[in-house]
Amino acid sequence: EESRTEDLEPGGGQSPAQRVSAMAFVQLGPIPVSGFLSPVRSLSNEQTFQKIVGSRHPYIGQVSRFSFEFNRLSFQSASPRFFVPAISHAEDAHERNGNGRDASIEFNETAAEQATRIIRRTTVDVPVGSVTIGSNHPVVVQTMINEDTLDVYAAADAIQKCHEAGAEIVRVTVPSIAHAKAVRLIKERLREKYMDVPLVADVHHNGMKIALEVAQHVDKVRINPGLYVFEKPKSNRTEYSQEEFDAIAEQIRETLAPLVISLRDQNKAMRIGVNHGSLAERMLFTYGDTPEGMVESALEFVRICESLNYYNLVISLKASRVPVMLSAYRLMAKRLDELGMRYPLHLGVTEAGDGDYARIKSAMGIGALLADGIGDTIRVSLTEDPIKEIPVCYSILQGLGLRRTMVEYIACPSCGRTLFNLEEVLAKVRAATIHLVGLNIGVMGCIVNGPGEMADADYGYVGKNPGFISLYRGREEILKVPEDQGVEALIQLIKDDGRWVEPADAAAAALEAAQTPAPVSA
């Protein structure tokens, strides 16, 4: 794992385990490791630490042990699972801070977390404006607006709404030069009215001139290898000769090179976005309508980019059928790793549709790959308002333990043993605590499975006796109260533990975190 972490420590001298452990803090969100350690020298107590660091990163949870002596910061979280379990944690992590002295962070990981953590495929970092895509960073959430890009005000408003809802990168369609020029005005409008949101331009048919124009105004350009250079089908064709194949490949290179050079010189990104439904005829004849054809189509463009010393690449291989999408991405990851090409992958099931089925279908495809450690940025494509895509993305990521953006509620499905109206009580508990991002709260209807099933929760609300509620902190029963006082008593318990924040404060912290630029490796 050394290759994935060596850049974290310019001075070297760390073991692989130490370097990987340091990465855990990069995974937490928009503040790099040095962002945690640089203000530490002024900290005097646990409350100050929690205020400075915990407020910006609610994933940390309650700090139960805190010390800082001789440039060494140590703390133990009461809820170690708040640290993103996608990366290996070591007992000790060292980082060379700004003044050249060593600081270290110690924390623990449960045996269950060690056995169930997801190890992400190692990739390089690819900057997209203020966001960085890659295995050193949280999986990035994207969406795409459906407003006409020529309507500058409407497009800028839509981008702002998507970003405020949690989309970290937003894509716009650019079907003409006029649209490409409008993107400059959209960017200006966002900077004046809101902030500089990372934007991606979607370029398709014969898009060289369009791509060159829009590359001046966006942070990433998405091209479709099957459509970037249009190959007119021949109805009587039975095969492609090697000469024909090579001639088209050279045409692609000549057409792509100016865009590659422009993006390279601006340090901007490109997504090589293959779609199963739009493979070039040449690839269809050579490989058939297969995942292999999708992979080879992407690799052809990757090799052209590398020949021009350009490496800010993200790759996608989308299909509307989940089995095809899974096969293509798994084969792509395998081929890239075999070739030493550590490029991030953008995951998605294209044309998923709408409603529950589209969400389930997207979760099956995206979630299966993420569980295998494949994928660095995701988009759920719904035939609905783009804002509705974003909660699905975050639910997938939280369900796999890759990001924490909401409270995790553990609740039984209810049965004849339930001692209270579980659905009603869960709604009340959720309404009172939904802003406490990072907490795990269990709501169980009876004693049979309650304490055991919610053993990983920070707090539990259990019906043990008719008319009474038992409240737990972790596995420990703390008090028993009348049922009508249960929710208020739970809130008070959280407050007594120092883990309560007012909703307005939580919203402000979340907004600050969302607006903080993502870390870039040293």
Side-chain angles (χ1 to χ4, degrees):
E1 297 281 65
E2 290 192 21
S3 63
R4 72 185 285 181
T5 58
E6 58 190 5
D7 288 340
L8 286 174
E9 176 50 55
Q14 294 173 305
S15 70
Q18 290 168 338
R19 288 197 294 268
V20 172
S21 183
M23 278 177 55
F25 285 86
V26 178
Q27 276 291 113
L28 285 176
I31 305 176
V33 179
S34 59
F36 283 90
L37 297 181
S38 57
V40 159
R41 307 200 176 284
S42 64
L43 301 185
S44 58
N45 54 48
E46 175 181 329
Q47 288 72 29
T48 305
F49 172 82
Q50 188 71 7
K51 181 178 180 181
I52 292 178
V53 180
S55 64
R56 300 188 73 174
H57 278 275
Y59 314 83
I60 289 176
Q62 181 186 22
V63 175
S64 58
R65 179 170 61 83
F66 176 91
S67 65
F68 177 65
E69 334 182 287
F70 304 106
N71 304 322
R72 182 180 179 85
L73 166 67
S74 301
F75 67 89
Q76 178 178 341
S77 170
S79 302
R81 67 188 155 278
F82 287 173
F83 294 98
V84 176
I87 309 186
S88 176
H89 297 320
E91 280 293 320
D92 196 38
H94 293 278
E95 189 237 9
R96 181 74 60 182
N97 56 32
N99 60 13
R101 291 179 289 181
D102 282 329
S104 67
I105 298 170
E106 294 180 344
F107 53 91
N108 298 325
E109 181 183 48
T110 66
E113 289 168 336
Q114 293 175 351
T116 60
R117 82 169 76 94
I118 293 172
I119 305 298
R120 289 173 61 188
R121 170 180 166 268
T122 303
T123 75
V124 297
D125 289 344
V126 175
V128 182
S130 60
V131 172
T132 303
I133 298 174
S135 60
N136 291 350
H137 305 267
V139 177
V140 174
V141 171
Q142 303 196 28
T143 190
M144 182 175 183
I145 64 168
N146 49 30
E147 277 72 15
D148 186 345
T149 314
L150 291 176
D151 190 339
V152 172
Y153 281 22
D157 287 347
I159 292 166
Q160 178 178 341
K161 289 176 182 176
C162 287
H163 190 260
E164 289 173 336
E168 293 155 307
I169 297 174
V170 181
R171 184 157 42 117
V172 299
T173 185
V174 188
S176 73
I177 290 289
H179 288 81
K181 292 181 177 180
V183 173
R184 176 180 63 83
L185 301 177
I186 292 170
K187 267 282 194 180
E188 291 176 356
R189 172 76 174 170
L190 285 168
R191 292 189 186 108
E192 293 170 1
K193 181 176 178 284
Y194 178 54
M195 62 183 296
D196 193 2
V197 178
L199 292 188
V200 181
D202 208 43
V203 180
H204 284 276
H205 296 279
N206 291 325
M208 182 182 70
K209 292 182 179 180
I210 299 170
L212 284 173
E213 172 64 35
V214 81
Q216 305 300 316
H217 315 309
V218 295
D219 305 290
K220 182 168 72 171
V221 175
R222 181 269 171 123
I223 61 170
N224 182 338
L227 300 174
Y228 192 73
V229 174
F230 184 66
E231 303 173 30
K232 187 175 181 179
K234 294 182 179 180
S235 59
N236 60 346
R237 183 185 292 280
T238 58
E239 65 177 358
Y240 267 88
S241 67
Q242 188 61 48
E243 291 76 14
E244 288 178 304
F245 200 99
D246 292 343
I248 295 175
E250 182 58 30
Q251 182 185 358
I252 290 172
R253 178 184 172 81
E254 292 175 359
T255 307
L256 185 64
L259 174 62
V260 170
I261 292 169
S262 174
L263 293 172
R264 181 196 67 193
D265 293 349
Q266 296 180 79
N267 193 33
K268 292 183 177 181
M270 175 193 292
R271 171 156 70 96
I272 299 174
V274 177
N275 271 20
H276 181 235
S278 57
L279 284 178
E281 185 186 52
R282 183 170 48 107
M283 292 296 171
L284 290 172
F285 268 92
T286 306
Y287 301 101
D289 186 13
T290 64
E292 185 181 6
M294 298 171 69
V295 169
E296 291 302 323
S297 181
L299 286 175
E300 180 178 51
F301 276 63
V302 170
R303 292 187 178 101
I304 293 172
C305 292
E306 289 193 338
S307 73
L308 296 167
N309 298 316
Y310 177 63
Y311 307 99
N312 283 345
L313 302 175
V314 179
I315 301 169
S316 64
L317 304 99
K318 296 188 180 183
S320 59
R321 291 178 53 219
V322 171
V324 174
M325 173 259 198
L326 292 175
S327 179
Y329 276 106
R330 285 171 175 153
L331 179 59
M332 185 84 253
K334 180 175 182 291
R335 291 294 308 280
L336 287 174
D337 292 347
E338 289 172 348
L339 294 167
M341 298 175 174
R342 299 290 185 173
Y343 296 113
L345 295 176
H346 170 129
L347 305 184
V349 178
T350 192
E351 290 102 25
D354 65 348
D356 290 345
Y357 180 65
R359 288 163 169 79
I360 294 169
K361 187 177 179 180
S362 295
M364 290 167 66
I366 295 171
L369 291 168
L370 289 173
D372 288 344
I374 297 171
D376 305 284
T377 180
I378 65 174
R379 185 216 171 173
V380 171
S381 300
L382 299 179
T383 312
E384 301 179 23
D385 186 327
I387 288 178
K388 294 183 179 180
E389 298 177 354
I390 298 161
V392 187
C393 293
Y394 280 113
S395 294
I396 293 170
L397 294 173
Q398 175 138 337
L400 290 167
L402 291 171
R403 292 189 75 164
R404 293 299 301 269
T405 57
M406 62 190 87
V407 179
E408 186 83 12
Y409 294 99
I410 305 164
C412 63
S414 187
C415 69
R417 295 189 299 266
T418 302
L419 296 177
F420 55 80
N421 187 322
L422 191 63
E423 186 175 354
E424 180 181 301
V425 170
L426 177 59
K428 290 180 179 178
V429 171
R430 186 191 303 274
T433 61
I434 196 168
H435 63 288
L436 301 176
V437 175
L439 286 186
N440 287 356
I441 298 176
V443 180
M444 297 293 175
C446 76
I447 194 60
V448 174
N449 292 320
E453 292 296 334
M454 66 173 198
D456 289 336
D458 302 293
Y459 297 99
Y461 184 110
V462 180
K464 291 181 66 173
N465 303 107
F468 287 87
I469 299 298
S470 292
L471 296 179
Y472 285 70
R473 180 192 297 119
R475 297 173 181 266
E476 179 185 2
E477 184 176 354
I478 303 300
L479 73 159
K480 186 181 295 183
V481 298
E483 182 179 332
D484 61 357
Q485 300 174 23
V487 175
E488 290 74 14
L490 173 63
I491 292 172
Q492 189 58 51
L493 176 59
I494 298 172
K495 288 181 176 180
D496 292 344
D497 288 347
R499 305 183 73 172
W500 179 267
V501 293
E502 295 301 325
D505 296 336
L511 179 61
E512 180 183 5
Q515 294 178 344
T516 303
V520 178
S521 295

